[in-house]
Amino acid sequence: MDDDSDQEHLIQDDYYTFLNIPRNATQEEINYAYRRQSILYHPDKHVDPVLKKEAEVLFNRTKAAYKVLSNPHQRAIYDSVGVRGLQTEGWEIVERTKTPQEIREEYEYLAREAEERKLLRLTNPTTSVTMNINATDLFNQYDEDYEDRYMCYKVYCILKYSRDILSCIEVSGMSFTQSIEAPLTLQDIVTMYGHLSTRNGIGSGSVHVAVKRLLSSKGWVEMDVGAGNGPTISLKGFRLLPYKLMLNAATILEFTPNESKASLIGTLTMQLDTHTMGQLSYNAGSESSMSTAIVRSTPRTHMSCSIHLGILRSFVSFNYTYKMQEKEMKLRGSVKAGTVGVIVEYGAEKKISRHSRLSATVSAGVPTGVTLKIKLSRSFQTYAFPIHLSDEVLPATVFYATVVPLMTWMIVKKVVIDPMVKKREEHKKEKEREVNKTRMLEKQKEAESATKLMKATVSRIRAQEESKKGLIITKALYGRFVYPQEDLYNSEQQSIRRDEVIDVTIPLQCLVKDSKLILYDASKSELPGFYDPCVGEEKQLLIQYLFRNQTHECIVKDNAPIRIPLPSHRVNTT
C-alpha cells in the first residue's frame, strides 16, 4: 500500500513539455524539436569534459522523449497512461504492428487483468445504515404555544422546551444492510448480502446469496436466492441489443406463510443521443405498473422526467441536479405529484474529502409533512438519517429544516473541516517533498547543467534579437511568489512565508525563435533549465522583456499557455 501511495506522489517526466511542443504535435514538429535540442546537448558539441558529461545526460533524455513520441505505438501508450504505461508488465506480448487504438485496448486489458487479479484476493464489502428519527413533538409543541403566547414570552418558551429536546426526539426505526462480493473466476461473482430492519418495535430481516455470470461483454445473468419471511427466488438478466438498446429483465417468486407471489419486471433503455436516455419499464404482478422516463445528463446538469401508472399509485415526477464541479458540490431539486399527494424536495451534496460526501435534503409534501434527510457516504459505506419534523407543511418547520443544517455546516466547516483539510494538504505537500527529495536534487542539478550548456546559444540568440530590436528576456523568475497583501492579517507568518523562485532568464531566452516565445498549457517545471522549487505549491512565471526597445512584463500561472510579445504586456515607463 505504501509503495502504491508513493507512486502517486512521484513526479513523472513530461516529454511534450521537455521538447516544448503541443500534445497534438505533428511528426515534423517532433523532429524539429529533437534537432533543436540535439544541437544544444549533443556531447560532441562540447569540449570541456565536465560539460560533455552533463550534456550526455540531457541528450539521453532528449533521445528518450523523441523515441517515445516519434513511435505511434509508444506515443499512444504514453498519451493514455503516461510513463507508467510504458513500464506496465505484459507489454512484451504486444505485437508492434498494432494500431494506436489497439495499443490502448491492450493496455486497458492488461490493467483490467491486474485489477481482476487483485479482486480475486479481496472482497468488496458495502454497508448501508439508516436511522429514522421522529422529531414531530418538538415542533408541534412549539407551534401550539407560539400561537397562544405573546412575542415577549417566546424566550421563556424556548428555554423551557430546550430542557425537553431530548425527550421530544425518538428513534422510530433502523435498518442495516451489508453485502460482500466474492469473485470466483473472471466471469463468476458471488454476492452475499443481508438486511435487518425495525420500526415501531416490529423487526424483520432477510439474507440472500446471488450468483452472477458474465456471458460476454454484452450481457450477464444472475440468480438470487433469499430467506426472510419466506423463501425468495429471482432470476435477473441484462443484454445489449442493436440500435443502442439495453434490456434488463427479472422474474421474482416470493413464498410467504399466507400466499405466494410472482412478478415479472422488464426495463428497456435506449440511448437517444450522447447525453439522453429513454426508459420504458413494466411490472407484471400483484402490484402491476408501467412507467416511462427521459434522463439527460451533461457535465453540468442532470435532469429526469418520469410518468408512473400503477394499480396502487400513479404519479409524475421531475428531478434536476446542477453540478458545481469547481466547488465539488451538487444542488438538487425535485417535484412529485400523483395519487400519493404532492412532494417537493430540495437539497445539496458536498464532497468533503477524497472518499466522503455529505448531503442534506428537505422534503415537504402532503400528506407526508416535512422531513430532513441527512446522508453521509464514505467509500462503500452509507449512513442515512431521515428526521421527520412535522406531519403538516408548516412555514416554521420548513424554515428551521433549511436554515439549521446550513448554519451547522458553516460552523462545522470552519471549526473542524477546514483545519482538517489544511492539515491534510500540508501533510500531502510534505509527503510529496519527501518522496521526490532525491528526484528534485537530480532535477535541480540537471537544470543547472542545462543552463550552463545554453549560454553560448543564448548569446547568439540575444545578439540576433538585439540587432533587429526583437524579443530580449531581461528577467524571468519561476516558483511561488508571496505578495504583501496576502499576509496583512497574518503577521506571524510574514517571517515564515517567503518567495521560493528560481531564475530562468537563460532557459526562456533559449526558446525564443523569430522574436517569439511560445509555451504550452503544461507545468513549466519540465522545461529544459527549469525545476520545481516548491513541490506541492501553486507556482507562477514572471517574465520581463524588451520588444522594440520597449519594456514589457507579465505574470502567468504555472499551467497557463504563453505567447509573447503582446501589446497588453507593455509597461508605461512614464
Side-chain angles (χ1 to χ4, degrees), residues 526-551:
E526 286 295 309
L527 287 167
F530 284 62
Y531 69 91
D532 192 338
C534 47
V535 176
E537 301 284 351
E538 291 187 6
K539 291 169 281 293
Q540 295 171 305
L541 178 61
L542 167 69
I543 307 175
Q544 296 175 353
Y545 61 95
L546 293 175
F547 182 68
R548 294 178 182 173
N549 289 337
Q550 292 186 338
T551 304

Side-chain angles (χ1 to χ4, degrees), residues 103-243:
I103 291 288
R104 292 190 187 96
E105 293 175 353
E106 186 69 25
Y107 174 80
E108 291 171 0
Y109 168 76
L110 291 170
R112 283 197 306 269
E113 191 177 60
E115 185 64 24
E116 287 165 348
R117 285 197 300 266
K118 180 185 286 188
L119 287 175
L120 288 174
R121 300 191 300 267
L122 302 173
T123 60
N124 290 314
T126 61
T127 304
S128 176
V129 178
T130 301
M131 180 183 293
N132 299 93
I133 300 174
N134 189 339
T136 55
D137 290 344
L138 177 65
F139 286 92
N140 288 343
Q141 288 184 19
Y142 177 79
D143 291 325
E144 290 172 2
D145 287 352
Y146 179 80
E147 294 176 358
D148 298 334
R149 300 176 188 268
Y150 294 100
M151 293 295 292
C152 61
Y153 203 55
K154 284 173 60 179
V155 176
Y156 169 77
C157 295
I158 294 173
L159 292 174
K160 176 185 175 183
Y161 292 123
S162 63
R163 299 194 302 266
D164 301 327
I165 287 178
L166 294 179
S167 63
C168 295
I169 298 175
E170 66 171 348
V171 177
S172 59
M174 287 190 66
S175 64
F176 178 86
T177 303
Q178 175 80 40
S179 69
I180 296 176
E181 282 188 4
L184 301 179
T185 66
L186 296 181
Q187 290 79 33
D188 300 307
I189 300 174
V190 174
T191 303
M192 294 169 284
Y193 63 97
H195 176 78
L196 291 173
S197 65
T198 176
R199 190 169 185 85
N200 297 325
I202 300 175
S204 63
S206 63
V207 61
H208 293 256
V209 177
V211 180
K212 178 188 286 187
R213 181 172 182 81
L214 303 178
L215 301 177
S216 66
S217 60
K218 295 184 178 181
W220 51 263
V221 293
E222 179 181 277
M223 186 173 182
D224 187 311
V225 178
N229 191 29
T232 303
I233 302 174
S234 64
L235 182 64
K236 305 174 185 178
F238 170 81
R239 179 70 181 177
L240 284 175
L241 302 175
Y243 308 106

Side-chain angles (χ1 to χ4, degrees), residues 113-379:
E113 191 177 60
E115 185 64 24
E116 287 165 348
R117 285 197 300 266
K118 180 185 286 188
L119 287 175
L120 288 174
R121 300 191 300 267
L122 302 173
T123 60
N124 290 314
T126 61
T127 304
S128 176
V129 178
T130 301
M131 180 183 293
N132 299 93
I133 300 174
N134 189 339
T136 55
D137 290 344
L138 177 65
F139 286 92
N140 288 343
Q141 288 184 19
Y142 177 79
D143 291 325
E144 290 172 2
D145 287 352
Y146 179 80
E147 294 176 358
D148 298 334
R149 300 176 188 268
Y150 294 100
M151 293 295 292
C152 61
Y153 203 55
K154 284 173 60 179
V155 176
Y156 169 77
C157 295
I158 294 173
L159 292 174
K160 176 185 175 183
Y161 292 123
S162 63
R163 299 194 302 266
D164 301 327
I165 287 178
L166 294 179
S167 63
C168 295
I169 298 175
E170 66 171 348
V171 177
S172 59
M174 287 190 66
S175 64
F176 178 86
T177 303
Q178 175 80 40
S179 69
I180 296 176
E181 282 188 4
L184 301 179
T185 66
L186 296 181
Q187 290 79 33
D188 300 307
I189 300 174
V190 174
T191 303
M192 294 169 284
Y193 63 97
H195 176 78
L196 291 173
S197 65
T198 176
R199 190 169 185 85
N200 297 325
I202 300 175
S204 63
S206 63
V207 61
H208 293 256
V209 177
V211 180
K212 178 188 286 187
R213 181 172 182 81
L214 303 178
L215 301 177
S216 66
S217 60
K218 295 184 178 181
W220 51 263
V221 293
E222 179 181 277
M223 186 173 182
D224 187 311
V225 178
N229 191 29
T232 303
I233 302 174
S234 64
L235 182 64
K236 305 174 185 178
F238 170 81
R239 179 70 181 177
L240 284 175
L241 302 175
Y243 308 106
K244 299 181 180 180
L245 291 171
M246 291 168 281
L247 176 63
N248 279 281
T251 301
I252 304 173
L253 297 175
E254 298 179 77
F255 303 93
T256 64
N258 300 324
E259 59 178 343
S260 300
K261 296 188 294 184
S263 58
L264 175 65
I265 303 173
T267 301
L268 187 65
T269 305
M270 181 177 185
Q271 185 172 351
L272 304 178
D273 60 35
T274 306
H275 302 289
T276 309
M277 305 285 285
Q279 294 180 344
L280 181 64
S281 301
Y282 182 74
N283 182 350
S286 58
E287 301 179 4
S288 296
S289 63
M290 183 176 66
S291 63
T292 181
I294 299 292
V295 181
R296 180 172 178 80
S297 183
T298 66
R300 278 289 180 184
T301 62
H302 179 88
M303 295 182 290
S304 66
C305 181
S306 65
I307 300 175
H308 181 92
L309 301 175
I311 296 176
L312 298 180
R313 56 176 185 160
S314 299
F315 60 86
V316 177
S317 67
F318 176 78
N319 299 274
Y320 180 82
T321 301
Y322 180 70
K323 307 171 187 176
M324 306 171 68
Q325 295 178 347
E326 61 282 356
K327 295 184 178 180
E328 297 182 323
M329 189 174 180
K330 296 178 182 178
L331 301 178
R332 293 194 176 100
S334 67
V335 179
K336 183 177 180 181
T339 57
V340 295
V342 179
I343 300 175
V344 177
E345 291 188 351
Y346 58 90
E349 179 184 289
K350 172 68 175 176
K351 184 177 181 181
I352 56 178
S353 69
R354 183 177 180 183
H355 302 290
S356 301
R357 289 184 173 273
L358 180 65
S359 65
T361 304
V362 178
S363 175
V366 178
T368 56
V370 180
T371 301
L372 172 63
K373 303 174 183 177
I374 299 175
K375 184 171 71 172
L376 174 64
S377 301
R378 176 166 176 78
S379 189

